[in-house]
C-alpha cells in the first residue's frame, strides 16, 4: 500500500509573513481596540503544520524521534526570551501595578514559568471571586502554555502512530497518521463546541478544546501536496485568506465565542494562504507575505508577542486609562520592537546557535540557570510583597481606632490619621469565612448544598442565609449574632446568583435558576424559622419580580427577612483609594447608589410573610455614600462588602433581626 506524498521540503517564507501579520494584529487589536484578533488561532494552526512536517520527516528518515533532543531544541528557542520577560514583568509589576493587584503576581508568575498559565486563567474564569480581577501582565502566556503542552503531546502521538503503523497495522505511516488526526480533530472540535456553549470562559483556555486547531495544521501538512487549483482561483483565494485573518477580530467577538466552530474562520484564512503559496502565481498573496520587512519582523514575532502585552498593561495602569491614543500606541509598538530586537538578537540567538548534539550539556546548564534565576526572582518578589504586608498589619483593633459602622451606630469619633483597614494588599481576601469551604460556594451548580454554622446544638431559632454574594457578604455579621441570639445559621449560597425565579433583570445562568427551583423544594422540606436574603437589586426603585415569586412560594411556610441591597459605587474602591488624595474622592452621591424611595413601598404584590430591613444609613448619610467609614474600608470592589466592615454592622443588624425573631414567638 502506497503512502501519501511528502510535501516539498523547502524554506517557506510565507509562513514568516503569516506569523508577522498575526502578531501585529494581536498587538494592534490589544492596544487600540481592546479586542482579541484571532491571531493566536493562527499561531496554533501554524505550529501544528510545522511540527507535523518536521517530526514526520524525522521519524520516517531515522525511524525514531529523540524526544529529549526535540524538547531541548524547543526549550532553547522558547525559554530564553520567555523567562527573561517573566523576570522583568515581575519586577516592573511592583512599580506600575497598584498594591491590590500584587496578590496575583506570584500566582501568574509561577504559572507562566511552568507553562500552565492557560489553566490558571481557566480556573480564574470560573471562579466568581477572580472574575473581576484586572488583566494580568502575564496573561498572554496562556497561549504559550497551550503550545508547550501541544509540543509535549504531539511527538508522543507521532511515535505512537509510527509504532502502530509499522508493527501492528502494517499500514503506511502518513495514512495512519491522517486517520489519527481526523479522529483528534473530530473529538476535539466536538468537545470544543460543547464546552464553548456550556462554559465559554473555561473553553477559551482549555488545551483540549484547542487541540483541533493544531490537528488542522497537521492535516494540512499531510494533504498539501494534493491541493492544486486553477492559478486565478488560487490567487483569489490567497487574498481572501489574508482578508479573513485581518478582519476576524472586527467581524467576530473572538474572546466570547472562541474556540468553538467560529474559530474555523481565521483558520480557514491561514489554510487558503498556505495553499495559495504552495502554488505560487505572479500576483499571489505569497508575494506580499514574502516581502523583506515581513521576513525581518518574522524573526522578531516571538519577542513582539512577549513584550507588547505587559507594556500595554503597565501603560494603562500608570496612565489610569483603558484607552490608548494613536501616538501613545505607536510609542508602545516602537518600544516593543526595540525590546524584541534586543531580546531576540542578544539573548535568544546566541543560545539557539548552540549545537544540541555536540553541546547538549551546555544547553541544559544554560536553561537550568535561567530557570533558577526566574525562580529566585519569583521568591524575591514574593518576599518584597510579604514585607510590605507586614508593615501594614494592624496589631491592635479597637472601637476607638477602627469602629467601622459603630462610628454611626454608637456615635464614635474614630482616631484620625490612621490607614484604613483592611490593607489594600489583603482586601480582596477579606471574605466571609465560608469562602474557605469551596463546597459551600456552589458556583455553576444546580445541587443545593446546606452548610451549617452558628449554634447547632440547642438553637432557639434557625435562620437560612440564601442567595448569592450580596446575601453572602452579610455572613460575618450573622456569625456574630448567631452566638448572641442563639440561632443556627444554615447557609445556602450560590455565587453569581440571587434568590429569584425570574431572569428578566438579572442575566443569570440556567444553573442559577435551576438551583433556585431546587432550593425552594429544600426550604419547603426543611423550613427554617427565618430566611435571610436581599430585598432589592442595585438602585432599582421596585422589588424584582423574581424575588417576590420566591417569597410567595414560602408563604405560610416560613418568614422572609429581606435586607435592602447595599449601594454600588462608581469605581473599584480599593483601586480608587490607592490613587485618591482623600477617600471622599471615591464617594458618590446617595441617589447614585440607592433609589430615592424604598422599593418595597413602591411595589405591589408583596406577600405577607416578608419583613424588610434597611441599613442604608450605615453606608450613606443624607447626601453621600462613603467608601471608608470609621477607618474601615467598606467595599472590596465596587459592590461587595469587606468582611471587616460587615462585622462592625452586627450591632446595627441585631435590632431589626431580633425584632423579627421575637415576632415569630408572638405568632
Amino acid at each position: 500500500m502506497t503512502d501519501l506524498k511528502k510535501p516539498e521540503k523547502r524554506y517557506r517564507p510565507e509562513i514568516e509573513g503569516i506569523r508577522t501579520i498575526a502578531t501585529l494584529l494581536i498587538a494592534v487589536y490589544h492596544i487600540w481596540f481592546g479586542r482579541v484578533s484571532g491571531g493566536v488561532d493562527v499561531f496554533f494552526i501554524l505550529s501544528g503544520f510545522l511540527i507535523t512536517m518536521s517530526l514526520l520527516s524525522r521519524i520516517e528518515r531515522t525511524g525514531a524521534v529523540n524526544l529529549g533532543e526535540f524538547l531541548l531544541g524547543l526549550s532553547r528557542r522558547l525559554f530564553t526570551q520567555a523567562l527573561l520577560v517573566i523576570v522583568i514583568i515581575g519586577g516592573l509589576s511592583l512599580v506600575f501595578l497598584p498594591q491590590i493587584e500584587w496578590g496575583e503576581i506570584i500566582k501568574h508568575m509561577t504559572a507562566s514559568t511552568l507553562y500552565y498559565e492557560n489553566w490558571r486563567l481557566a480556573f480564574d474564569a470560573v471562579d466568581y471571586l477572580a472574575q473581576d480581577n484586572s488583566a494580568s501582565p502575564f496573561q498572554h502566556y496562556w497561549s504559550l502554555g497551550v503550545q508547550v503542552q501541544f509540543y509535549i503531546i504531539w511527538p508522543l502521538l507521532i511515535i505512537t502512530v509510527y509504532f502502530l503503523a509499522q508493527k501492528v497495522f502494517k499500514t503506511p505511516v502518513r495514512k495512519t497518521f491522517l486517520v489519527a488526526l481526523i479522529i483528534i480533530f473530530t473529538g476535539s472540535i466536538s468537545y470544543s463546541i460543547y464546552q464553548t456553549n456550556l462554559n465559554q470562559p473555561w473553553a477559551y483556555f482549555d488545551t483540549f478544546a484547542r487541540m483541533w486547531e493544531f490537528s488542522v495544521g497537521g492535516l494540512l501538512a499531510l494533504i498539501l501536496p494534493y491541493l492544486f487549483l486553477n492559478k486565478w482561483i488560487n490567487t483569489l483565494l490567497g487574498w481572501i485568506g489574508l482578508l479573513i485573518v485581518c478582519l476576524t477580530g472586527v467581524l467576530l467577538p473572538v474572546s466570547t465565542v472562541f474556540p468553538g466552530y467560529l474559530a474555523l474562520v481565521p483558520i480557514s484564512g491561514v489554510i487558503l494562504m498556505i495553499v495559495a503559496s504552495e502554488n505560487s502565481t505572479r500576483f499571489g498573496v505569497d508575494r506580499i507575505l514574502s516581502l523583506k520587512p515581513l521576513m525581518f519582523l518574522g524573526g522578531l514575532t516571538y519577542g513582539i508577542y512577549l513584550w507588547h502585552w505587559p507594556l500595554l498593561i503597565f501603560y494603562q495602569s500608570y496612565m489610569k486609562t483603558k484607552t490608548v491614543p494613536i501616538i501613545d500606541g505607536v510609542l508602545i509598538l516602537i518600544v516593543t520592537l526595540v525590546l524584541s530586537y534586543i531580546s531576540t538578537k542578544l539573548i535568544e540567538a546566541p543560545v539557539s546557535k548552540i549545537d544540541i548534539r555536540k553541546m547538549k550539556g551546555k544547553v541544559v546548564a544554560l536553561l537550568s540557570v535561567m530557570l533558577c534565576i526566574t525562580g529566585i526572582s519569583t521568591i524575591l518578589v514574593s518576599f518584597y510583597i510579604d514585607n510590605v504586608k507586614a508593615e501594614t498589619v494592624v496589631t491592635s483593633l479597637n472601637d476607638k481606632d477602627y469602629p467601622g459602622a459603630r462610628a454611626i451606630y454608637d456615635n464614635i469619633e474614630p482616631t484620625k490619621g490612621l490607614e484604613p483597614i483592611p490593607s489594600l494588599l489583603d482586601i480582596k481576601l477579606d471574605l466571609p469565612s465560608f469562602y474557605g469551604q469551596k463546597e459551600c460556594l456552589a458556583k455553576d451548580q444546580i445541587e443545593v448544598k446546606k452548610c451549617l454554622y452558628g449554634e447547632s446544638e440547642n438553637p432557639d431559632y434557625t435562620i437560612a442565609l440564601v442567595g448569592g454574594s450580596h446575601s453572602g457578604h452579610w455572613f460575618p455579621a450573622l456569625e456574630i449574632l448567631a452566638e448572641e441570639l442563639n440561632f443556627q445559621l444554615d447557609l445556602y449560597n450560590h455565587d453569581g446568583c440571587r434568590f429569584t425565579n425570574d431572569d428578566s433583570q438579572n442575566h443569570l445562568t440556567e444553573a442559577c435558576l435551576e438551583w433556585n427551583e431546587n432550593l425552594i423544594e429544600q426550604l419547603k422540606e426543611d423550613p427554617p424559622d427565618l430566611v435571610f436574603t436581599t430585598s432589592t437589586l442595585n438602585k432599582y426603585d421596585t422589588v424584582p419580580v423574581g424575588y417576590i415569586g420566591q417569597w410567595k412560594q414560602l408563604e405560610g411556610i416560613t418568614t422572609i427577612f429581606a435586607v435592602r441591597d447595599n449601594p454600588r459605587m462608581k469605581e473599584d474602591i480599593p483601586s480608587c483609594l490607592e490613587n485618591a488624595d482623600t477617600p471622599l474622592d471615591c464617594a458618590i452621591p446617595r441617589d447614585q447608589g440607592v433609589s430615592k424611595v424604598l422599593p418595597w413601598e413602591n411595589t405591589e404584590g408583596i406577600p405577607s410573610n416578608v419583613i424588610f430591613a434597611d441599613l442604608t444609613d450605615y453606608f450613606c448619610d443624607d447626601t453621600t455614600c462613603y467608601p471608608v467609614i470609621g477607618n474601615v474600608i467598606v467595599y472590596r470592589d465596587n459592590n461587595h462588602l469587606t468582611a471587616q466592615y460587615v462585622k462592625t454592622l452586627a450591632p446595627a443588624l441585631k435590632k431589626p433581626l431580633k425584632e423579627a425573631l421575637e415576632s415569630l414567638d408572638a405568632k
Side-chain angles (χ1 to χ4, degrees):
M1 186 185 296
T2 58
D3 206 348
L4 297 176
K5 295 179 183 178
K6 299 179 183 179
E8 179 188 351
K9 190 174 182 180
R10 63 178 178 83
Y11 173 62
R12 297 177 181 271
E14 69 276 5
I15 298 294
E16 290 293 302
I18 295 172
R19 187 182 284 127
T20 299
I21 289 170
T23 305
L24 292 178
L25 284 172
I26 289 171
V28 167
Y29 274 73
H30 280 162
I31 292 171
W32 283 298
F33 304 118
R35 293 171 63 95
V36 178
S37 66
V40 165
D41 302 87
V42 174
F43 290 158
F44 291 164
I45 183 174
L46 290 180
S47 294
F49 177 78
L50 294 172
I51 293 299
T52 297
M53 287 208 304
S54 173
L55 289 176
L56 271 181
S57 297
R58 189 178 307 183
I59 202 167
E60 288 173 333
R61 187 175 65 253
T62 65
V65 171
N66 188 322
L67 194 59
E69 193 174 282
F70 169 74
L71 293 176
L72 191 60
L74 282 173
S75 301
R76 179 184 59 177
R77 294 202 308 273
L78 294 176
F79 286 8
T80 46
Q81 283 198 81
L83 296 179
L84 169 69
V85 175
I86 287 172
V87 172
I88 293 174
I89 294 175
L92 292 181
S93 293
L94 301 177
V95 177
F96 290 104
L97 297 185
Q99 288 187 3
I100 59 166
E101 296 179 24
W102 287 8
E104 297 294 311
I105 293 175
I106 301 303
K107 295 178 185 177
H108 290 288
M109 201 170 178
T110 303
S112 298
T113 302
L114 300 179
Y115 287 90
Y116 67 88
E117 175 69 355
N118 61 310
W119 296 110
R120 169 82 258 169
L121 292 172
F123 281 105
D124 281 354
V126 297
D127 181 351
Y128 181 76
L129 293 176
Q131 286 176 348
D132 292 329
N133 285 349
S134 298
S136 162
F138 297 97
Q139 189 164 306
H140 60 317
Y141 275 79
W142 78 267
S143 67
L144 303 184
V146 172
Q147 284 186 281
V148 167
Q149 290 154 36
F150 158 75
Y151 291 144
I152 294 172
I153 293 170
W154 221 241
L156 295 175
L157 173 67
I158 287 180
I159 291 170
T160 302
V161 169
Y162 183 80
F163 173 80
L164 292 174
Q166 294 286 88
K167 305 296 184 182
V168 179
F169 300 127
K170 308 295 184 183
T171 53
V173 173
R174 288 178 178 261
K175 286 186 176 179
T176 308
F177 192 57
L178 179 67
V179 173
L181 288 182
I182 292 172
I183 293 171
I184 291 170
F185 172 81
T186 304
S188 177
I189 197 170
S190 299
Y191 169 73
S192 181
I193 293 169
Y194 167 77
Q195 193 63 260
T196 300
N197 289 329
L198 179 70
N199 190 346
Q200 187 275 335
W202 172 278
Y204 193 84
F205 301 110
D206 186 339
T207 300
F208 303 105
R210 294 280 187 174
M211 197 56 62
W212 68 269
E213 298 183 71
F214 295 98
S215 71
V216 170
L219 287 167
L220 181 61
L222 291 174
I223 66 174
L224 189 60
Y226 296 91
L227 300 178
F228 298 104
L229 300 171
N230 174 280
K231 67 177 183 177
W232 295 113
I233 295 176
N234 193 72
T235 300
L236 178 62
L237 291 180
W239 287 105
I240 290 175
L242 178 60
L243 198 62
I244 289 173
V245 169
C246 291
L247 294 181
T248 294
V250 173
L251 301 175
L252 297 174
V254 174
S255 63
T256 58
V257 298
F258 278 31
Y261 63 89
L262 284 174
L264 284 166
V265 173
I267 284 175
S268 66
V270 177
I271 292 172
L272 292 176
M273 285 191 284
I274 292 177
V275 171
S277 299
E278 183 74 4
N279 304 283
S280 181
T281 61
R282 183 179 177 185
F283 300 105
V285 71
D286 57 302
R287 302 295 180 177
I288 292 291
L289 297 176
S290 304
L291 289 175
K292 287 186 177 180
L294 292 184
M295 295 298 96
F296 173 77
L297 290 174
L300 304 179
T301 51
Y302 188 44
I304 294 170
Y305 182 80
L306 289 172
W307 286 109
H308 88 280
W309 180 255
L311 289 175
L312 174 62
I313 295 300
F314 294 148
Y315 170 89
Q316 292 176 338
S317 180
Y318 181 76
M319 300 299 291
K320 300 178 181 59
T321 181
K322 295 295 182 183
T323 304
V324 183
I326 294 293
I327 293 177
D328 291 13
V330 171
L331 289 174
I332 291 173
L333 279 177
I334 291 173
V335 174
T336 296
L337 289 172
V338 171
L339 292 174
S340 303
Y341 183 84
I342 293 171
S343 59
T344 301
K345 301 302 180 182
L346 299 184
I347 305 297
E348 180 188 309
V351 177
S352 296
K353 290 177 181 177
I354 300 174
D355 190 326
I356 293 179
R357 292 185 179 86
K358 296 179 180 178
M359 307 181 74
K360 189 178 296 182
K362 185 176 181 179
V363 175
V364 171
L366 277 172
L367 294 176
S368 299
V369 168
M370 295 187 74
L371 278 170
C372 287
I373 291 172
T374 309
I376 292 170
S377 299
T378 305
I379 293 170
L380 291 175
V381 171
S382 180
F383 279 164
Y384 180 82
I385 293 172
D386 289 341
N387 286 336
V388 174
K389 281 185 180 181
E391 293 172 3
T392 60
V393 170
V394 177
T395 56
S396 177
L397 293 176
N398 58 72
D399 286 346
K400 178 64 177 173
D401 290 340
Y402 302 100
R406 296 188 67 133
I408 301 170
Y409 185 80
D410 292 327
N411 197 26
I412 298 173
E413 181 67 31
T415 304
K416 295 182 179 180
L418 297 177
E419 286 293 319
I421 59 171
S423 76
L424 295 178
L425 276 169
D426 291 322
I427 195 166
K428 287 192 175 182
L429 300 176
D430 192 45
L431 304 164
S433 59
F434 70 81
Y435 276 90
Q437 297 176 269
K438 293 296 184 182
E439 68 273 14
C440 297
L441 303 183
K443 179 75 168 68
D444 295 324
Q445 302 297 312
I446 62 172
E447 179 186 356
V448 174
K449 171 71 176 178
K450 178 170 73 172
C451 295
L452 299 181
Y453 299 92
E455 301 300 314
S456 56
E457 298 227 353
N458 294 296
D460 293 330
Y461 311 96
T462 298
I463 296 179
L465 174 59
V466 306
S469 56
H470 274 244
S471 296
H473 62 201
W474 289 96
F475 180 87
L478 290 171
E479 204 170 23
I480 293 170
L481 296 178
E483 184 176 347
E484 295 181 14
L485 300 177
N486 194 41
F487 61 78
Q488 176 177 302
L489 183 58
D490 295 347
L491 174 69
Y492 297 98
N493 182 78
H494 190 297
D495 268 356
C497 190
R498 299 184 182 96
F499 188 45
T500 182
N501 64 5
D502 178 76
D503 191 32
S504 59
Q505 287 179 307
N506 301 334
H507 308 294
L508 302 173
T509 64
E510 288 296 325
C512 166
L513 295 174
E514 192 168 343
W515 176 84
N516 266 286
E517 292 175 8
N518 295 335
L519 175 59
I520 286 292
E521 296 304 314
Q522 172 77 19
L523 294 174
K524 287 179 178 178
E525 292 176 10
D526 183 20
D529 297 300
L530 205 68
V531 171
F532 186 109
T533 190
T534 51
S535 64
T536 59
L537 176 62
N538 296 342
K539 62 173 185 176
Y540 291 122
D541 59 6
T542 58
V543 176
V545 173
Y547 291 17
I548 296 172
Q550 293 292 74
W551 302 344
K552 283 183 175 179
Q553 293 190 70
L554 297 175
E555 196 169 10
I557 298 173
T558 187
T559 299
I560 309 295
F561 184 87
V563 65
R564 190 178 190 181
D565 199 8
N566 57 274
R568 294 186 180 232
M569 306 299 278
K570 184 179 179 181
E571 299 181 61
D572 179 87
I573 292 304
S575 297
C576 183
L577 291 173
E578 185 162 1
N579 298 305
D581 295 327
T582 169
L584 283 175
D585 293 341
C586 306
I588 62 170
R590 179 179 173 120
D591 60 7
Q592 289 185 14
V594 292
S595 62
K596 294 180 179 180
V597 298
L598 287 174
W600 50 88
E601 293 181 356
N602 198 35
T603 305
E604 295 180 355
I606 293 175
S608 60
N609 62 330
V610 183
I611 298 171
F612 292 101
D614 181 13
L615 275 72
T616 303
D617 289 344
Y618 295 95
F619 302 100
C620 316
D621 60 21
D622 291 341
T623 61
T624 307
C625 296
Y626 297 95
V628 178
I629 297 174
N631 287 336
V632 179
I633 300 174
V634 180
Y635 302 91
R636 56 182 165 85
D637 46 34
N638 76 322
N639 67 95
H640 292 100
L641 305 176
T642 62
Q644 190 70 51
Y645 187 72
V646 176
K647 289 175 184 176
T648 70
L649 281 168
L653 180 61
K654 182 177 181 179
K655 182 180 178 182
L657 188 61
K658 184 177 180 181
E659 290 175 354
L661 293 172
E662 289 174 348
S663 72
L664 300 179
D665 297 332
K667 291 182 179 180

